[in-house]
Amino acid sequence: MRLILLGPPGAGKGTQAKVLIESYGIPQLSTGDILRSAIAAKTPMGLAAKEIMDRGDLVSDEIVNGIVSERLDQDDCKAGFVLDGFPRTIPQAEALDAMLTEKGMQLDAVIEITADADVLVGRIARRAKESGVARGDDNEEVLRNRLNVYREQTAPLVEFYRGKGLLKSVDGMQPVDDVTAAIRRAVHN
């Protein structure tokens, strides 16, 4: 099973990815996690990425495409994967198409998790408060910028994948278990 999860920050992509990887025994490829690991290790790429992410902007396609391509070559991706946070732009989607073609792979579905922006701001604020660990990009101003960046740059992917017949939309404002059930139905229809 090769899936992409789309949706604005805080829509529940990470939560749903965890369920999918357990259900299908495939890895979650989260560019955010990979980048945060590089930030924690204070690598040159990590430091550059941190500055960009703290503004709520997107890391360059060149860096992200390279990370994803290398990751897709690893053995645990042969049975499938869940992409979470990639692609974010049409050029990244086109680069992913080329990567997958080159590797003899194809997507099974693209799941769009829809959500209300104002609810997301509250959800992320609670996540930071409850965990006691606020990420640099978890304040309201930066989050609203991230939501705007998502609308401007990532939302066009919905039409891109709809045109390819791969898009399945799920209401992310439902309880977590209901979202999971809706994703399972969408993947198997």
Side-chain angles (χ1 to χ4, degrees):
M1 184 68 54
R2 295 182 186 99
L3 303 171
I4 293 174
L5 294 181
L6 292 179
K13 296 181 302 294
T15 299
Q16 294 303 324
K18 285 177 181 53
V19 173
L20 292 166
I21 64 174
E22 289 173 15
S23 296
Y24 296 108
I26 55 177
Q28 173 186 1
L29 308 184
S30 169
T31 53
D33 288 347
I34 294 167
L35 289 170
R36 280 188 284 279
S37 293
I39 289 167
K42 297 187 177 176
T43 65
M45 182 184 82
L47 294 173
K50 180 181 185 337
E51 182 180 326
I52 293 165
M53 289 169 70
D54 282 350
R55 288 194 310 262
D57 292 330
L58 299 177
V59 177
S60 77
D61 285 355
E62 184 179 349
I63 292 170
V64 177
N65 292 345
I67 288 170
V68 171
S69 183
E70 289 176 357
R71 185 67 182 89
L72 290 175
D73 289 336
Q74 295 180 10
D75 286 343
D76 64 340
C77 289
K78 295 208 182 319
F81 50 80
V82 176
L83 279 168
D84 167 20
F86 181 87
R88 290 189 181 199
T89 63
I90 297 294
Q92 284 180 353
E94 291 168 341
L96 176 62
D97 279 356
M99 276 181 237
L100 293 175
T101 298
E102 180 183 311
K103 297 172 191 307
M105 299 176 175
Q106 64 183 23
L107 292 171
D108 292 298
V110 176
I111 306 297
E112 175 198 25
I113 301 175
T114 62
D116 176 85
D118 291 327
V119 173
L120 294 178
V121 170
R123 190 182 278 182
I124 291 198
R126 277 192 309 281
R127 176 178 74 186
K129 187 176 181 180
E130 289 168 4
S131 71
V133 180
R135 291 181 358 200
D137 59 350
D138 273 353
N139 71 61
E140 184 171 344
E141 182 181 333
V142 172
L143 177 59
R144 291 219 182 258
N145 184 51
R146 288 174 63 206
L147 290 169
N148 287 335
V149 168
Y150 175 79
R151 270 192 299 277
E152 292 167 11
Q153 296 182 12
T154 309
L157 290 173
V158 169
E159 293 309 315
F160 179 84
Y161 285 115
R162 181 176 283 130
K164 293 180 170 288
L166 291 169
L167 187 77
K168 313 281 185 181
S169 292
V170 172
D171 178 4
M173 302 314 306
Q174 304 173 79
V176 171
D177 291 343
D178 293 348
V179 175
T180 301
I183 289 173
R184 287 194 174 137
R185 283 190 304 274
V187 167
H188 295 289
N189 283 341

